[in-house]
Amino acid sequence: MNPITQHNPAAARTADPGGQTGRAPHRRWLTRPPVPSRTARLGILGTAAMAAVLFGTSLTASAAPAQSARGAAGSPADSMLKATFTDSDVSVTPGLGMVELILAGTGTVQGFGAATDVVGVVEDFAASPCGPGGASNSSQQRIVLPSGVLETHGAGMNCVTASGAQVTGTWRVDGQASTGIFAGARGTGHFTVDVATGQDTLSGTLILNSPEA
């Protein structure tokens, strides 16, 4: 992500009239094949050794790209996304029962390293899926990494629990808005946010766009 020539030694032998082994009966006892000179033997051995080295080198060269491709396709980064961020408010704008938030923070994305993120959130407290004090939640998150920018869209709900306000929901990758190695990517997953600590956790699938696709 080399053609193999098959040899058929059996087809190269000439069948004898008696249906034996392809040689005249007892021929090997009648004459002794000439013994190659020492120089000839060394030449044959040298040629065989060189062929073996070249063959081994060609196998290694052809196997390396295949192994590299398998490694890239089978790596955790290409099948899953796990990220954690600690975010804090940059701006809070209430109005008409809604609150618009912009948050920013730092964190890590497993398999990709350290990252920063910016999250734009709209919370509608007039439409609470989980009772009084809660809100419906929609968001867009920009995750910035050295290898590119990953954009996600989220939908969830902010609920009041015994341990404080918690936001849970689902996210999906915006491949058109993402850049770098994330351009054209796709994937979905779940997120949780502990409102009191600003701890934001994402998990799910991430499928990078293949150049051959």
Side-chain angles (χ1 to χ4, degrees):
M1 93 79 296
N2 282 310
I4 300 174
T5 304
Q6 295 182 343
H7 297 279
N8 188 353
R13 293 198 299 266
T14 304
D16 61 297
Q20 299 292 324
T21 64
R23 300 173 182 165
H26 309 300
R27 183 179 297 277
R28 64 191 178 94
W29 295 110
L30 297 178
T31 60
R32 177 175 296 177
V35 178
S37 67
R38 182 173 182 274
T39 301
R41 289 200 303 273
L42 289 176
I44 293 172
L45 290 175
T47 302
M50 183 178 295
V53 170
L54 292 174
F55 181 68
T57 302
S58 65
L59 285 179
T60 302
S62 61
Q67 290 172 352
S68 176
R70 286 195 298 270
S75 65
D78 193 51
S79 60
M80 56 190 279
L81 183 143
K82 288 186 178 180
T84 57
F85 294 92
T86 301
D87 295 321
S88 58
D89 296 342
V90 174
S91 68
V92 180
T93 308
L96 301 176
M98 292 188 178
V99 176
E100 296 179 343
L101 305 171
I102 296 178
L103 307 107
T106 59
T108 58
V109 180
Q110 183 173 302
F112 296 95
T116 61
D117 77 325
V118 177
V119 190
V121 182
V122 175
E123 293 187 309
D124 186 355
F125 287 88
S128 175
C130 51
S136 64
N137 181 300
S138 62
S139 63
Q140 180 159 341
Q141 185 169 22
R142 181 171 74 238
I143 300 173
V144 181
L145 293 138
S147 50
V149 175
L150 179 64
E151 290 275 353
T152 69
H153 298 292
M157 54 186 180
N158 186 342
C159 300
V160 178
T161 70
S163 58
Q166 302 286 322
V167 180
T168 59
T170 60
W171 57 264
R172 62 178 177 82
V173 172
D174 185 341
Q176 289 186 323
S178 299
T179 65
I181 67 170
F182 304 108
R186 61 189 188 277
T188 58
H190 295 82
F191 69 86
T192 62
V193 180
D194 185 324
V195 175
T197 63
Q199 187 77 14
D200 184 3
T201 303
L202 297 87
S203 62
T205 60
L206 173 64
I207 303 173
L208 301 181
N209 185 38
S210 171
E212 291 80 13

